[in-house]
Amino acid sequence: MSDMPLPERMVMEADIVCVGFGPATAAFLTHMTRAMMNEDGTPVVESKVMPGMPPQIVCYERADDIGFGVSGIVTKGRSIRESFPDLDLSQIPLAHEITEERVAYLLDPVGASRRPAAFKAADAILSKFTKDNAYELPYIPPFLQKHGGFVASMGQFMQWTGSQVMGSGLAQIWPGSPVAEPLVEDGGVTGVRLCDQGVDKKGNPEATYMPGMDVKAPLTVVGDGPVGAVGQHLDKEFGLPDGKHRREWAVGMKAVVDLPEGCELKPGTVLHTIGYPEPEIFGFLYVYPDNSASLGIFVPSWFDNPVRTAYRYMQHWMMHPYLWKHLEGGTLRSWGAKSLQEDGRRGEPHLVGDGYARVGEGSGTTNILSGSGVDEAWASGTMLAEAVIELMKAGKPYTKANLEEAYVRRRRQSWVEEEAVISEKSRDGFTLNTLLGFIGMGISGLSKGKVNLPGKSKRPWERIPTIEEFYKGVIPETEILQIRKECQLKGEPLHDRLMTRAGWPEVPLDGQLLISQQDALLMGGKVVANPGYADHVTFADPYYCQSCREQVCTEICSGQAITVNPEGGVPLFDREKCVHCGACMWNCSKPNPEDPEQTNVNFRAGSGGLHSAEN
């Protein structure tokens, strides 16, 4: 750019600014817009920035549409139904009440799964009672049941709620507007700063440079999820409360598929699986009313595989006989992935401070025992709305003390907190091994959290072994070295070559449901990255990347946006392929040189991502 002076940063004022439009923020806006006007058309409370008008509330969402959230939802829907007592699921595309629930333990039909001795013993015992290499549990523990709830598409559900919020005319939602950071002054938050535009990949101004606007507001509502830039910034600025950490993660990869004609699965059927393709990987399938389904797997951080990949494992999972009999002949409609924060209440940050409050998954609402998050996130947004309305009417400022009394007190007295306490230690067993993880969940659930297996959590980068250690006794080190050289020259990750060598059969691509990862990116993901933004994935210390022999970030990348550099050193990043799942942030075998609780991968705010409202 020339030496001409840069344009000044614009400033806008609002009464409340929200970051991220997910279930928590949708609940907050739903209840705020219902409570801001009297029956005679006058505002309950006048705006401080536009006197005579109702409070001015604006929400900024990174994705290019409010319906581009990635998740297949199965939920009891308690808080959602409280917000919508007359909820008619037929008005929401891809939504249906739950009609049947099944949990199945999947045996390994190909012989490549790395199964501990305990799982091999279970396979031998259960094989006498299996059908299609699967054993359906005769009993589903109460803490896993979702009776009375519904299945839905996150994208369609968010479009439905968002249209009602915007239709009220009392709140603005701006998609395609990534927020770079909160504005922190004197130990409090005074608003947010949007991302700069017209910059190169490193963030340097170019000819079309336009600095991101500062939006000042007395209250900032942070609902940008577990990998959101604003939430990350607050955690770094204020730290986490004593005893809290964010070390347990999972990447959820899912697809929406058209089921083949004649499929026997009825709308509202919920299938959950454990045991395959690896014992640590969970699977799910939720049937929608138009002979389609949302399906996928969760690959957790305690799956200690340095070449873990969600995509190929998902394909092998789909081809398991228990599922393939329902899926063969189906067609992929859309596809996506997102990171899930698996610490739950143990990962709860400071919920409030002067000028800000946090809601949703990034605030630790996920119930890690029941595997439920959407309803809990919605409840947190509802509770914050009730608190804000209370403070508004009383004319009280949004100080930390006032927000703790009005919002945090409500959370501590809610069913969300009660169930979060029960589930808090339920997954500690997974820090030891997979079998103890499942046993620990059962003990915690059946004892309502009174009895738990102990376990010491490790930071993500502390868990990952070397490739040679993981494949010891399966693939000789000399062969791994040769495969490594060949893949680096081609700029390819290692997982396909190593999985095939370890006994996983090649995936028979059919061009419909079993397609390449890049085809999924084009056909099912519809990824778009707007020009003029800086790269949102960077590497803190290039030296660590140069010395790294695992490069788990390239193996796990959902969109193959992070690739091996043929010349060695720092991996290459192509944001035109990034689906913003955030998995790279916690899939790294090297610590951040400035903060050992983090990895060497920085995941910041950025534009673009998936363009599919079905996810």
Side-chain angles (χ1 to χ4, degrees):
M1 191 174 178
S2 66
D3 295 330
M4 294 180 62
L6 297 175
E8 293 185 4
R9 194 175 299 275
M10 295 179 61
V11 178
M12 185 181 83
E13 292 189 354
D15 291 286
I16 299 175
V17 60
C18 303
V19 184
F21 186 70
T25 308
F28 174 77
L29 295 176
T30 294
H31 284 270
M32 288 299 300
T33 54
R34 290 175 179 177
M36 289 195 302
M37 301 297 290
N38 293 311
E39 291 185 4
D40 62 3
T42 60
V44 171
V45 178
E46 288 192 10
S47 166
K48 296 291 180 64
V49 298
M50 295 185 68
M53 299 291 289
Q56 301 298 293
I57 304 176
V58 60
C59 174
Y60 294 101
E61 163 59 35
R62 173 200 58 79
D64 290 346
D65 189 89
I66 61 173
F68 290 167
V70 178
S71 185
I73 300 171
V74 59
T75 177
K76 290 183 179 179
R78 289 169 289 180
S79 62
I80 295 173
R81 290 187 185 277
E82 287 180 1
S83 297
F84 304 102
D86 301 321
L87 181 64
D88 182 359
L89 293 174
S90 68
Q91 301 303 305
I92 307 174
L94 304 182
H96 199 282
E97 68 273 5
I98 294 173
T99 56
E100 181 181 7
E101 294 182 82
R102 300 184 222 163
V103 178
Y105 173 78
L106 305 183
L107 278 68
D108 176 10
V110 300
S113 180
R114 294 177 64 86
R115 306 175 90 75
F119 276 80
K120 291 180 180 178
D123 292 352
I125 295 171
L126 295 176
S127 62
K128 302 174 183 178
F129 309 98
T130 60
K131 181 181 180 182
D132 298 317
N133 283 101
Y135 175 75
E136 288 189 354
L137 274 62
Y139 167 75
I140 301 177
F143 58 85
L144 289 178
Q145 295 175 7
K146 302 295 191 299
H147 294 334
F150 59 89
V151 297
S153 154
M154 174 71 82
Q156 295 293 338
F157 180 70
M158 295 311 301
Q159 282 198 338
W160 182 76
T161 56
S163 64
Q164 295 182 64
V165 168
M166 290 188 291
S168 72
L170 296 171
Q172 301 178 51
I173 305 174
W174 291 94
S177 303
V179 177
E181 60 186 353
L183 300 174
V184 180
E185 300 177 16
D186 299 324
V189 174
T190 59
V192 299
R193 173 168 292 173
L194 304 186
C195 285
D196 292 344
Q197 299 182 50
V199 298
D200 63 19
K201 292 184 177 181
K202 294 184 178 180
N204 300 312
E206 296 188 313
T208 57
Y209 176 66
M210 182 173 67
M213 181 170 57
D214 283 352
V215 183
K216 298 289 190 74
L219 177 64
T220 299
V221 176
V222 182
D224 60 350
V227 299
V230 175
Q232 284 192 63
H233 190 109
L234 293 177
D235 291 343
K236 185 176 181 180
E237 182 77 25
F238 302 120
L240 291 177
D242 291 341
K244 305 292 185 181
H245 59 69
R246 298 197 163 192
R247 298 176 180 175
E248 308 298 340
W249 296 84
V251 59
M253 181 169 284
K254 59 155 285 191
V256 175
V257 304
D258 283 322
L259 297 171
E261 291 186 17
C263 179
E264 296 177 357
L265 296 177
K266 294 181 172 56
T269 298
V270 173
L271 303 181
H272 284 119
T273 71
I274 57 175
Y276 183 83
E278 299 285 7
E280 298 89 343
I281 294 176
F282 298 79
F284 66 91
L285 187 151
Y286 313 143
V287 183
Y288 295 144
D290 61 347
N291 201 41
S292 65
S294 175
L295 56 85
I297 62 172
F298 298 106
V299 178
S301 55
W302 58 81
F303 176 35
D304 296 331
N305 181 348
V307 288
R308 54 195 179 209
T309 166
Y311 191 76
R312 181 162 175 181
Y313 276 126
M314 184 176 74
Q315 291 184 315
H316 286 297
W317 174 81
M318 287 192 294
M319 289 189 294
H320 190 282
Y322 179 74
L323 300 160
W324 194 239
K325 64 183 180 181
H326 301 301
L327 299 177
E328 186 176 11
T331 305
L332 185 142
R333 277 178 21 181
S334 64
W335 162 90
K338 76 176 291 288
S339 283
L340 301 127
Q341 222 300 301
E342 296 284 277
D343 281 305
R345 186 174 184 271
R346 189 168 286 169
E348 182 185 283
H350 294 288
L351 293 178
V352 297
D354 289 340
Y356 78 90
R358 300 181 68 167
V359 293
E361 186 179 358
S363 75
T365 54
T366 300
N367 187 309
I368 58 175
L369 178 61
S370 64
S372 177
V374 171
D375 205 28
E376 288 79 359
W378 186 276
S380 71
T382 298
M383 288 184 277
L384 179 61
E386 293 170 348
V388 169
I389 293 164
E390 177 184 306
L391 294 176
M392 273 185 172
K393 290 181 176 180
K396 294 182 178 180
Y398 303 115
T399 62
K400 180 179 181 180
N402 287 341
L403 287 167
E404 282 182 339
E405 171 59 25
Y407 170 49
V408 178
R409 174 181 57 82
R410 279 181 164 85
R411 275 190 59 158
R412 297 294 179 244
Q413 297 173 352
S414 70
W415 64 265
V416 175
E417 177 76 5
E418 179 183 354
E419 295 183 3
V421 171
I422 292 173
S423 71
E424 186 170 4
K425 299 178 181 180
S426 63
R427 291 196 177 180
D428 286 4
F430 283 108
T431 66
L432 303 172
N433 60 58
T434 307
L435 177 62
L436 290 177
F438 285 118
I439 293 174
M441 284 186 67
I443 292 174
S444 296
L446 296 175
S447 70
K448 294 190 179 298
K450 295 182 175 64
V451 181
N452 304 279
L453 286 186
K456 185 178 180 180
S457 178
K458 295 181 180 180
R459 291 168 284 198
W461 56 268
E462 292 176 315
R463 297 195 60 105
I464 301 172
T466 66
I467 295 172
E468 289 76 11
E469 289 171 338
F470 183 79
Y471 282 108
K472 186 176 181 179
V474 179
I475 307 176
E477 290 190 19
T478 53
E479 191 172 351
I480 292 175
L481 178 62
Q482 182 61 34
I483 291 173
R484 189 192 298 274
K485 289 180 179 179
E486 293 172 1
C487 287
Q488 181 167 334
L489 287 174
K490 296 179 181 179
E492 296 176 349
L494 295 169
H495 59 256
D496 272 336
R497 289 285 302 277
L498 292 176
M499 286 181 67
T500 300
R501 174 61 180 79
W504 288 98
E506 294 283 356
V507 176
L509 303 182
D510 59 16
Q512 293 183 184
L513 183 57
L514 300 176
I515 60 179
S516 72
Q517 193 166 353
Q518 283 299 296
D519 283 342
L521 194 69
L522 296 171
M523 296 167 54
K526 308 174 182 68
V527 180
V528 175
N530 298 316
Y533 287 92
D535 279 350
H536 52 279
V537 173
T538 58
F539 303 90
D541 190 332
Y543 171 77
Y544 279 159
C545 294
Q546 292 166 2
S547 62
C548 181
R549 292 177 58 79
E550 295 81 43
Q551 295 200 344
V552 191
C553 59
T554 65
E555 306 295 334
I556 196 68
C557 183
S558 299
Q560 296 184 322
I562 303 176
T563 54
V564 176
N565 189 336
E567 299 178 1
V570 179
L572 304 177
F573 174 65
D574 181 358
R575 64 188 184 87
E576 297 290 336
K577 297 179 179 179
C578 181
V579 302
H580 292 255
C581 73
C584 55
M585 188 182 80
W586 51 271
N587 279 278
C588 175
S589 60
K590 300 295 180 288
N592 188 298
E594 296 182 358
D595 181 2
E597 280 293 325
Q598 309 300 320
T599 69
N600 197 47
V601 177
N602 293 324
F603 187 83
R604 304 180 296 186
S607 173
L610 291 168
H611 272 230
S612 170
E614 290 185 334
N615 282 304

